[in-house]
Amino acid sequence: MLYLVGLGLSDETDITVKGLEIVKRASRVYLEAYTSILLVDQSVLESYYGRSISIADREMVESNSDEILRDADKEDVAFCVVGDPFGATTHTDLVLRARELGIRVGTVPNASIMSGIGAAGLQLYNFGQTVSMVFFLDNWRPASFYDRIKENRQIGLHTLVLLDIKVKEQSLENMARGRKIYEPPRYMTVGTCASQMLEVEEEKKEGVYGPDSLAIGAARVGGKTEKFVAGTLKELCDADELLGGPLHSLVLLGRRTHELEHDYVREFAVNKENWDRIWKADYEGKH
Amino acid sequence: MLYLVGLGLSDETDITVKGLEIVKRASRVYLEAYTSILLVDQSVLESYYGRSISIADREMVESNSDEILRDADKEDVAFCVVGDPFGATTHTDLVLRARELGIRVGTVPNASIMSGIGAAGLQLYNFGQTVSMVFFLDNWRPASFYDRIKENRQIGLHTLVLLDIKVKEQSLENMARGRKIYEPPRYMTVGTCASQMLEVEEEKKEGVYGPDSLAIGAARVGGKTEKFVAGTLKELCDADELLGGPLHSLVLLGRRTHELEHDYVREFAVNKENWDRIWKADYEGKH
């Protein structure tokens, strides 16, 4: 049987008891390590689980899934995913391939950033579709997030923005020369995300949001050092130091807000007076 | 310290290792038991955790939260919540009250139906806001869900519909007479939800959805007997037997679909020919 095991958001103890039992008894254990990461190293997981773990990078999952599925009709294979197993499309692919091969599939759900973000104090009911933000390059600045945020904002909903991570990426030169040399990992910060968002608004000028729009920067959600910083997008451009290390996410507020949300999130505001003023003018009672 | 501990979706082994450690060492353990339930009894949890558990009903959480927070500045109190601790507004309230009292709060995230529903094969990115469906009464048929589904459908997004549960409810007569006698628990089924949805569409006639709209019924998500049934809303009116016992949820599909979603969900269709035909006509390539 193939088990997709969610590992949760933060460290080795976020696995569920059910998931841990499966990992301990499986013939092989894989860790999907390119759509998200835990805040601890592979070696910590290996010693805690008492198992050696094979890292499944994008290449392996997308082009060599039959190796992951080998003998999974006769024995148990654990495919571990940070967060919840169904956060990323890739795993749907793996399940479809398993079905073709007649392999049974079990899922062990866990916390996902899509629900964990509730800890920031916004009601999950008030979120629209989730979007992703990738690192802009000089000649590649994909802005599809903008139209989706626009859709959410038009009906007053919050938007969770998931931030790019670059793990095991090759430079163009190394790729061209076929050298398997990888760049150090990079994790997008809230500051980069906020400034890319403002850049796109400046280009498109549709007024979907602006420097004074309220947002929350989130760091290490679900972990011991979890940190939220609330402020305007402009304030969040400079909040990386307050937030600390990866992983970061950002929530852009919609206007359909609840009083409890104000009270809860205010605690995290960089500048509480600013927060109150803008909330009162642009958010309170606007749904 | 007050710990909000997510229990996940299904049974006693869905708690995380971190959560279990907190429950085992806390001075008092509460279980919030009115916004959702696990598929196992309290006694199973108690024997697995090795702790006795106080049930926190709505009355206690909303009117007597200081009892839950008693001494939490000096000792650890575990407040356990089915799913993820931030699924329901109530817990935000509890955290705000703790803050007022100077009590530190920690959260142990876990799987929520809002991410666990990904196991049905729809991409979580394609979901809009989540709505709730309550049991209709003769003179009380709240239909705010309809406008929210309309907003989601207009931009092509899927809608997760969370279904009412009635736990520890009094009959009007017993309430009037102040008798603390409670009705047996009731859990809304996908069949009831689908027919209430169609009823409201028949009244409002805005064409937000109809008997031929595609949807997925979900039962016991994350559990060993997890079951999905896909079909039209009309087909789902009669799918309760296929789905089996509680808890149920429903997803109404939006038109912004991905080919992988078709392939994945088709497996669950009551009538695959019907599914393919409607998908092709109304969903495929419509975003």
Side-chain angles (χ1 to χ4, degrees), chain B residues 224-278:
Chain B
K224 283 188 200 101
T225 62
E226 176 179 86
K227 173 91 183 172
F228 299 109
V229 174
T232 63
L233 278 179
K234 200 169 148 224
E235 285 168 344
L236 290 185
C237 287
D238 303 310
D240 285 349
E241 218 166 298
L242 276 171
L243 281 162
L247 296 177
H248 288 189
S249 317
L250 184 146
V251 181
L252 183 71
L253 268 68
R255 289 196 158 76
R256 187 184 292 170
T257 51
H258 188 286
E259 203 192 316
L260 276 178
E261 295 180 299
H262 172 265
D263 298 349
Y264 199 106
V265 181
R266 183 178 193 273
E267 179 90 3
F268 307 129
V270 198
N271 179 329
K272 291 192 170 60
E273 276 173 35
N274 225 12
W275 180 266
D276 288 343
R277 185 179 52 78
I278 297 175

Side-chain angles (χ1 to χ4, degrees), chain B residues 134-152:
Chain B
V134 301
F135 282 112
F136 284 179
L137 303 174
D138 286 345
N139 50 358
W140 194 65
R141 301 147 63 89
S144 65
F145 73 87
Y146 186 81
D147 294 329
R148 305 220 155 173
I149 291 180
K150 184 177 175 181
E151 292 168 342
N152 286 344

Side-chain angles (χ1 to χ4, degrees), chain A residues 122-123 125-127 152-158 253-259 261 279 282-287, chain B residues 129-131 144 147-148 151-152:
Chain A
L122 299 173
Q123 303 299 322
Y125 283 87
N126 289 338
F127 279 76
N152 286 343
R153 295 270 292 175
Q154 276 171 343
I155 49 181
L157 299 175
H158 309 315
L253 268 68
R255 288 194 158 77
R256 185 184 294 170
T257 51
H258 189 285
E259 204 191 315
E261 294 180 299
W279 184 282
D282 296 341
Y283 291 81
E284 195 176 87
K286 300 287 185 195
H287 51 287
Chain B
Q129 58 198 315
T130 299
V131 304
S144 65
D147 294 329
R148 305 220 155 173
E151 292 168 342
N152 286 344

Side-chain angles (χ1 to χ4, degrees), chain B residues 2-155:
Chain B
L2 169 70
Y3 284 98
L4 302 179
V5 180
L7 297 188
L9 295 170
S10 153
D11 65 35
E12 70 279 12
T13 64
D14 285 325
I15 194 169
T16 65
V17 176
K18 186 181 284 171
L20 185 58
E21 283 166 5
I22 290 166
V23 166
K24 279 183 181 295
R25 70 157 196 262
S27 304
R28 297 193 308 284
V29 181
Y30 294 94
L31 173 63
E32 186 272 88
Y34 59 95
T35 57
S36 188
I37 55 149
L38 282 183
L39 307 175
V40 294
D41 286 338
Q42 181 183 353
S43 59
V44 174
L45 295 184
E46 290 186 322
S47 92
Y48 191 78
Y49 300 161
R51 297 300 310 269
S52 79
I53 294 172
S54 306
I55 295 295
D57 58 20
R58 188 184 298 271
E59 197 185 331
M60 181 178 215
V61 179
E62 292 181 358
S63 322
N64 198 10
S65 59
D66 284 4
E67 168 52 25
I68 297 169
L69 297 172
R70 176 170 52 83
D71 297 329
D73 51 338
K74 300 186 287 277
E75 46 195 50
D76 288 342
V77 173
F79 184 79
C80 300
V81 180
V82 174
D84 186 82
F86 285 100
T89 322
T90 309
H91 315 130
T92 315
D93 244 343
L94 188 64
V95 173
L96 286 171
R97 181 65 186 145
R99 276 192 197 161
E100 279 171 26
L101 298 171
I103 293 167
R104 288 193 309 142
V105 179
T107 310
V108 183
N110 206 322
S112 152
I113 184 66
M114 293 196 189
S115 50
I117 195 63
L122 299 173
Q123 303 297 321
L124 293 176
Y125 283 87
N126 289 338
F127 279 75
Q129 58 198 315
T130 299
V131 304
S132 296
M133 175 71 73
V134 301
F135 282 112
F136 284 179
L137 303 174
D138 286 345
N139 50 358
W140 194 65
R141 301 147 63 89
S144 65
F145 73 87
Y146 186 81
D147 294 329
R148 305 220 155 173
I149 291 180
K150 184 177 175 181
E151 292 168 342
N152 286 344
R153 295 270 293 177
Q154 276 170 344
I155 49 180

